[in-house]
Amino acid sequence: MDETPRSDQTTLIEQLKAERDQLLGLLRALPDISFVIDEDGLYVRVIGGTNEAMYVSGKPLEGSTLQDALPESIANHFLGVVREALRTGEMQFLEYELGVEDVTALPPEIREKAADPSKQYFEGRILPLPSYDHPKPVVLWVAVNITPRKQLEQYWRQAAETDPLTGIANRRALFQKAHEEVERARRYGHPLSLLILDIDHFKSINSRFGHARGDEALRRFTRTCAELLRTNDRLGRIGGEEFVILLPETDLVGATRLGHRIVEAIASVEIDETSPVFTITVSVGAATLEHGEGFEATLHRADQALSRAKANGRNRLETDGPHPTE
């Protein structure tokens, strides 16, 4: 009576092994690379990765561990995901960024063959692999290279936040950043100022010299302003010829000083790509965030200062309230 159960058990094991071999055979032919990794982080087997444009050979990793192959923080994170898959019996999903130079267990000749040595984006799909012929429980880690998708997402994200003519932040991105900076300034009690800038008589530039020259004037204006800014300052175009500069960690004295430098620098810029050569000037309004105030209120006060700059002859800066000592 014991023979039938034993025979059934043998048949079941053989079926499971056959299914495993079929799965591994399919994986070998897939373009994406897969790893059999045990609960201690040992690379038991490396399979697939036939798309050489997206993957380098991972075969040399067999016999090494996650800790041997990867930076410590990444290895520990990956090992935690492996053990979570084994504990729950459920597939785990993980997006991560990894460059071939990070995988130190790969021989130099393998790393040199990488089609793109920069960091790549991957989606890991990690699931337990039962009945695998190994002393310890293992998972199958399928690494799908999603770099093209990430690059496309980044392109569209940048396109949604960038002014196409000048390459700087558009109104949407600038306002979003402004609200973040206001929150940060409130949290830490630090100053935050802004400048609003308007190129003088810009419509006459378009009508006299043409829109192509007007576009070039906007680009030259942007480059000149950007050269005067710090790394954490943010310049954005919020209208046709209207711009805003966010100045974190800056009081009204500092904003005024920068505004005067911009007025002076812009007046010396010649737009000389075609004849005739012409110059541009800019009017600037400055304001500093006040206690309990939001970005829109500060911007409104800066805009009022800008209106005074225009009324007082343009090509100048005015501040909200009394003019601070420089």
Side-chain angles (χ1 to χ4, degrees):
M1 294 180 65
D2 293 335
E3 292 299 322
T4 301
R6 188 176 295 113
S7 175
D8 291 346
Q9 185 179 26
T10 301
T11 300
L12 177 61
I13 291 173
E14 289 176 349
Q15 288 176 344
L16 289 172
K17 287 183 176 179
E19 291 176 0
R20 181 205 65 190
D21 291 341
Q22 288 177 347
L23 173 62
L24 296 178
L26 289 171
L27 289 172
R28 289 191 197 98
L30 291 177
D32 299 314
I33 195 167
S34 301
F35 309 93
V36 178
I37 304 173
D38 76 8
E39 63 180 355
D40 293 330
L42 178 72
Y43 287 99
V44 177
R45 194 166 184 179
V46 180
I47 315 161
T50 59
N51 185 345
E52 294 182 354
M54 305 290 275
Y55 305 95
V56 297
S57 174
K59 275 293 181 183
L61 295 177
E62 292 182 350
S64 62
T65 65
L66 291 169
Q67 288 80 2
D68 297 330
L70 301 171
E72 182 179 4
S73 60
I74 297 176
N76 290 339
H77 182 48
F78 283 9
L79 184 59
V81 175
V82 168
R83 290 175 174 172
E84 181 68 10
L86 291 171
R87 185 186 69 82
T88 63
E90 298 179 353
M91 181 181 292
Q92 305 294 309
F93 295 90
L94 176 68
E95 283 194 9
Y96 56 96
E97 189 179 5
L98 198 65
V100 68
E101 290 299 324
D102 295 324
V103 190
T104 54
L106 290 175
E109 60 270 19
I110 294 293
R111 295 202 296 269
E112 290 170 1
K113 291 180 180 179
D116 186 351
S118 62
K119 289 188 181 294
Q120 304 283 293
Y121 292 94
F122 297 91
E123 180 184 83
R125 302 170 187 174
I126 305 96
L127 69 159
L129 193 59
S131 303
Y132 191 86
D133 188 13
H134 186 71
K136 297 181 178 181
V138 300
V139 301
L140 180 67
W141 184 305
V142 181
V144 181
N145 193 319
I146 58 172
T147 303
R149 189 189 83 193
K150 285 291 187 179
Q151 290 173 336
L152 186 60
E153 290 174 358
Q154 184 178 13
Y155 169 81
W156 286 115
R157 185 166 55 251
Q158 289 178 341
E161 298 175 350
T162 303
D163 174 57
L165 177 63
T166 62
I168 62 174
N170 61 16
R171 182 184 183 92
R172 173 179 173 273
L174 190 283
F175 275 50
Q176 179 178 341
K177 181 66 175 177
H179 286 100
E180 293 172 1
E181 290 294 343
V182 167
E183 288 303 315
R184 194 174 71 87
R186 286 174 174 170
R187 185 180 307 118
Y188 298 107
H190 293 176
L192 171 66
S193 297
L194 63 85
L195 301 175
I196 183 167
L197 310 93
D198 193 295
I199 299 176
D200 296 328
H201 305 298
F202 186 74
K203 290 181 175 58
S204 67
I205 294 174
N206 281 332
S207 60
R208 290 177 59 199
F209 304 108
H211 287 279
R213 305 288 306 282
D215 289 348
E216 181 59 26
L218 289 170
R219 287 189 286 266
R220 293 289 297 275
F221 171 84
T222 301
R223 288 198 297 269
T224 302
C225 288
E227 290 171 357
L228 298 174
L229 302 184
R230 304 165 301 178
T231 304
N232 61 334
D233 297 335
R234 178 62 66 92
L235 170 63
R237 184 183 179 194
I238 64 170
E241 65 273 16
E242 197 167 60
F243 298 78
V244 166
I245 301 175
L246 296 175
L247 301 169
E249 309 291 337
T250 305
D251 58 16
L252 191 57
V253 173
T256 301
R257 185 178 296 116
L258 174 63
H260 284 306
R261 290 178 63 199
I262 289 175
V263 170
E264 181 179 354
I266 293 301
S268 65
V269 173
E270 293 185 342
I271 312 301
D272 56 0
E273 278 64 23
T274 58
S275 181
V277 174
F278 65 92
T279 59
I280 58 176
T281 60
V282 64
S283 298
V284 182
T288 296
L289 182 71
E290 294 183 349
H291 180 71
E293 187 177 54
F295 167 67
E296 284 79 5
T298 309
L299 181 65
H300 177 69
R301 290 190 292 104
D303 192 53
Q304 290 180 320
L306 173 64
S307 296
R308 289 196 296 275
K310 292 180 179 180
N312 291 334
R314 303 179 187 267
N315 188 27
R316 59 185 293 118
L317 174 139
E318 293 287 346
T319 64
D320 175 64
H323 198 291
T325 303
E326 297 182 27

